[in-house]
Amino acid sequence: SPWGIAAGADGSMWFTEYEGNRIGRISMGGMTSEFVVPTAGAVPWGIAAGADGSMWFTENMGNRIGRITATGIVTEFAVPSAGVIPLGIAAGPDGAMWFTEYTGNKIGRITTSGAMSEFMVPTTGAFPYLIAAGPDGAMWFTEFTGNKIGRITMGGVVTEFAVPTTGANPAAIAAGPDGSMWFTEWGGNRIGRITTSGVVTEFAVPTANVDPVGI
């Protein structure tokens, strides 16, 4: 069950093996290597390149953030809050990695030396899902159940913007070439766009019930 995938500083693609409990690496020539995650049943999920040249990943059930070097050495860092189900992860403009805590209702931050901070999402039961760096120097994230898009500054200040469609279940989010953030609406069957000032526009997917997820 390969899940997340991201480009590494070594020119290869790195991916998580959700059920295999491994991190995989595939070269441009198609050669694959696998590295076991030390914590059994960790369920590695999201993965992203860090400023330190390593890949960083979330462990859903392990409740840890993992770091893997280009040579396959894995280090794990426990999330301070228990049972939060870390999901999305992305590099921030401050050189740290930022991640979502799905059931913890928080946004986490980890430095390349392993120091962690957590910031509460204002909406109760928001279930923060995925996260991405924005063009405004902040991190933007989706609130799957909260039905909002969140923005967090490098100082940990969170602002939330409601998605117009009820039950949209915003999932993935990414920076677009227009200076806005674009996101999928799993339950709303739409693609959303939010400006850095918080203006949301939605575009219906022509085919019904496709449940768009990644972007």
Side-chain angles (χ1 to χ4, degrees), residues 113-204:
S113 61
M116 280 198 212
S117 306
E118 295 174 293
F119 307 94
M120 185 66 69
V121 174
T123 298
T124 302
F127 289 96
Y129 199 71
L130 294 186
I131 190 166
D136 57 346
M139 302 300 291
W140 290 75
F141 59 94
T142 53
E143 298 183 16
F144 191 78
T145 306
N147 214 57
K148 296 173 181 174
I149 301 300
R151 175 184 183 271
I152 185 167
T153 66
M154 296 300 95
V157 178
V158 177
T159 309
E160 297 173 294
F161 306 93
V163 175
T165 298
T166 302
N169 299 131
I173 189 165
D178 59 347
S180 296
M181 302 301 291
W182 290 74
F183 59 95
T184 54
E185 298 184 16
W186 191 336
N189 211 56
R190 292 171 168 82
I191 301 300
R193 173 185 181 267
I194 184 168
T195 66
T196 52
S197 60
V199 178
V200 178
T201 310
E202 298 173 291
F203 306 92

Side-chain angles (χ1 to χ4, degrees), residues 16-198:
T16 55
E17 297 185 12
Y18 187 79
E19 293 186 23
N21 212 56
R22 292 171 169 82
I23 301 300
R25 173 187 179 271
I26 184 165
S27 69
M28 294 300 97
M31 182 165 293
T32 303
S33 306
E34 295 173 298
F35 307 94
V36 175
V37 175
T39 298
V43 188
W45 205 84
I47 190 166
D52 59 346
S54 295
M55 301 301 292
W56 291 75
F57 59 93
T58 56
E59 299 181 16
N60 279 195
M61 296 295 104
N63 210 61
R64 294 169 168 83
I65 302 299
R67 173 185 181 267
I68 184 167
T69 66
T71 56
I73 298 172
V74 178
T75 308
E76 297 173 293
F77 305 92
V79 176
S81 298
V84 299
I85 306 185
L87 281 185
I89 189 166
D94 59 348
M97 302 302 294
W98 291 74
F99 59 95
T100 57
E101 299 184 11
Y102 188 64
T103 54
N105 215 58
K106 297 172 183 174
I107 300 300
R109 174 184 182 271
I110 182 169
T111 66
T112 52
S113 61
M116 280 198 212
S117 306
E118 295 174 293
F119 307 94
M120 185 66 69
V121 174
T123 298
T124 302
F127 289 96
Y129 199 71
L130 294 186
I131 190 166
D136 57 346
M139 302 300 291
W140 290 75
F141 59 94
T142 53
E143 298 183 16
F144 191 78
T145 306
N147 214 57
K148 296 173 181 174
I149 301 300
R151 175 184 183 271
I152 185 167
T153 66
M154 296 300 95
V157 178
V158 177
T159 309
E160 297 173 294
F161 306 93
V163 175
T165 298
T166 302
N169 299 131
I173 189 165
D178 59 347
S180 296
M181 302 301 291
W182 290 74
F183 59 95
T184 54
E185 298 184 16
W186 191 336
N189 211 56
R190 292 171 168 82
I191 301 300
R193 173 185 181 267
I194 184 168
T195 66
T196 52
S197 60

